[in-house]
Amino acid sequence: NACPTSVMLYMANKCVDTAKSHQSTKWFMPWGPNKCEIIRSFDEAMAKKIEANNIVFAVHIPQQNMEMSPWFQFMLVILQLDIAFKMHNQIEEGALATVDVALAYRDDTLSEWTEMAHSVEQRELKCKFNTQKNYENEGRYYDCDLLPFMELGSVSHKYYLLNIRLPVHERKKINVGIGEVKDIQLVGIHQNGGFTKVWFAMKTFLTPSILIVLVWYWRRITLMTRPPVLLEKVIFALGISMTFINIPVEWFSVGFDWTWMLLFGDIRQGIFYSMLLSFWIIFCGEHLMDQTERNRFSIYWKQVGPIVFGSFCLFIFDMCERGVQLTNPFYSIWASDVGTELAMAFIVVAGICACLYFLFLCFMVFQVFRNISGKRSSLPAMSKARRLHYEGLIFRFKFLMLVTLFCAAMTVIFFIISQVMEGHWQWGSQKLELNSAFFTGIYGMWNLYVFAIMFLYAPSHKRYGDNQSGDTGASGEEIQLTTTITHVDGPTELYKMTGKAAQE
């Protein structure tokens, strides 16, 4: 399946709770040997004089003869109410549906159900009636938006059971004015087991490879006689954050019931985002500054400050949603109007900021290119071999800068899409589906990029003579500041050169 997630539809069965006391310990099963007493419709209930409060909507996840698996990673459930139009029982403006919901699990078909969560939630109905409201159209259904219902951060059990009640209380105005509810449908979304396995395998393979390069890079820096420059420190930090996001701790989520894995993944992603965005700013900046201004992290606080602040805001926003869901899986920031507006505003602002950042980065890269073109004017004065050597350097550096821009563009697009994906279920549309190749592609791209940067910017530990080029004008330090590309030259030589020209 090309899509990383699967969608399942469930229609709730209506069970009759005959016990007068409503003991909450009794679980209602929609089918199987312990099947509850089922009624087909509310009309039948009225004929049998069964009150609405005695009806329990039961949903078993997954469908019969299937089981859930820890490989599914998470489970998102969306609620859809089927409400029929009646002249004397219409949906009022801003009607709130109050849902009393309990979730239970078991790992085999014989054992008892164990309660996992219980909550009384309110969800605002957003429904339209597309034809005229008259007696002829009674019984037609409203067109209602999907409602966020539940999110589980791990799928560690085989079977789940939801018992949903719509308690009616006229005096307290509970579930009054929500129209005539005919049925409850649920949409269950979970990650594909196959996609999870590919994802884990990729992480398991990439972790040691980046780690080896990281260790090698650090050894290179410690072998030098001079202290590492800011750029080298930042590259090392980038390597560490890439390794952190690579470590496949998710393997544990298959064996253990760790509901906080989703949140932990988000935090790791956030740290990596802020590191990567800061790195690009410093990377371009260091190729613009002259030798006197370089190597001072304090110069970048204006650019790095907002990035860190933005990441912190994302973290707070995530804690409000995923953090609370650790204790109450039925909580959703999208359930209230204020929450929805906040979340929407947040996503829009985050998207705009990401675009502005990208434009700013383009501007910086443009300046770097202009700075380098300025250097080319001093090339004709050199000997031919040396000039060709520098022409090659400049070409390679420009290529690296364009690759950086491409990575930045893809990252910004990925960030915006993943933000929208978080919210799009809450907006009730099911159009957006991401290809799993896109996820793995972006992830692979980051790894390759970090790999290449560490490789290209590792300082050389040897001091080569400059006899190959037949030009003895090169200073010793310039040769020492070389990298491993062709074992004599590389971007760091250019780094040196841009600094000199900026100084002049």
Side-chain angles (χ1 to χ4, degrees), residues 58-332:
V59 177
H60 185 281
I61 297 177
Q63 270 122 354
Q64 231 163 334
N65 305 326
M66 293 167 80
E67 50 185 58
M68 301 299 274
S69 138
W71 291 102
F72 292 162
Q73 293 292 295
F74 68 87
M75 183 163 62
L76 193 67
V77 180
I78 316 288
L79 176 71
Q80 188 177 355
L81 296 173
D82 294 346
I83 303 175
F85 171 72
K86 281 276 168 32
M87 284 296 280
H88 65 272
N89 186 5
Q90 298 186 19
I91 297 182
E92 291 168 11
E93 271 299 303
L96 283 178
T98 304
V99 189
D100 177 340
V101 55
L103 173 71
Y105 68 86
R106 67 180 180 187
D107 286 310
D108 59 76
T109 48
L110 299 170
S111 57
E112 287 293 309
W113 290 100
T114 312
E115 181 167 308
M116 200 166 160
H118 181 236
S119 175
V120 177
E121 293 290 321
Q122 284 191 325
R123 297 286 187 266
E124 187 176 340
L125 298 180
K126 294 186 176 66
C127 299
K128 299 189 293 287
F129 193 60
N130 296 326
T131 49
Q132 281 190 314
K133 294 187 176 178
N134 54 30
Y135 282 105
E136 278 141 53
N137 290 324
E138 275 201 350
R140 282 177 184 251
Y141 285 100
Y142 281 92
D143 178 18
C144 291
D145 283 358
L146 298 174
L147 303 170
F149 190 53
M150 176 178 92
E151 186 166 358
L152 288 180
S154 70
V155 189
S156 48
H157 304 289
K158 286 182 185 171
Y159 309 109
Y160 293 87
L161 180 66
L162 281 163
N163 280 185
I164 304 164
R165 297 169 189 264
L166 294 173
V168 178
H169 204 296
E170 300 265 342
R171 203 176 69 245
K172 291 184 184 167
K173 286 267 185 279
I174 294 175
N175 282 337
V176 174
I178 61 165
E180 190 165 306
V181 179
K182 291 282 190 187
D183 278 300
I184 291 184
Q185 292 187 58
L186 297 183
V187 183
I189 302 158
H190 58 78
Q191 193 165 298
N192 280 332
F195 172 73
T196 308
K197 285 169 189 167
V198 169
W199 190 242
F200 284 11
M202 194 167 167
K203 284 196 156 194
T204 311
F205 165 71
L206 287 169
T207 303
S209 41
I210 285 278
L211 202 58
I212 289 164
V213 178
L214 191 67
V215 170
W216 170 82
Y217 180 80
W218 187 241
R219 265 202 65 235
R220 271 295 169 85
I221 285 181
T222 48
L223 283 171
M224 289 184 314
T225 42
R226 61 176 175 84
V229 292
L230 174 67
L231 189 59
E232 286 161 346
K233 289 179 194 160
V234 175
I235 289 173
F236 184 64
L238 181 68
I240 289 176
S241 65
M242 186 80 249
T243 310
F244 183 51
I245 210 175
N246 275 346
I247 297 170
V249 280
E250 288 91 341
W251 282 113
F252 293 111
S253 72
V254 177
F256 300 92
D257 182 9
W258 286 351
T259 46
W260 45 266
M261 282 308 279
L262 274 182
L263 186 66
F264 182 59
D266 285 348
I267 292 170
R268 289 200 298 173
Q269 185 91 355
I271 292 172
F272 178 68
Y273 271 140
S274 47
M275 194 59 239
L276 190 63
L277 300 185
S278 306
F279 164 73
W280 283 330
I281 296 283
I282 294 171
F283 179 63
C284 292
E286 288 294 282
H287 286 92
L288 282 174
M289 310 262 176
D290 56 32
Q291 217 50 43
T292 49
E293 285 180 352
R294 268 182 184 172
N295 271 331
R296 291 217 307 276
F297 185 66
S298 53
I299 297 173
Y300 295 104
W301 70 267
K302 277 185 192 149
Q303 291 96 328
V304 174
I307 292 173
V308 173
F309 175 71
S311 303
F312 181 69
C313 290
L314 274 172
F315 171 68
I316 296 296
F317 176 65
D318 219 44
M319 283 306 287
C320 291
E321 175 94 83
R322 294 241 160 105
V324 181
Q325 279 169 353
L326 294 181
T327 50
N328 175 14
F330 301 103
Y331 173 80
S332 171

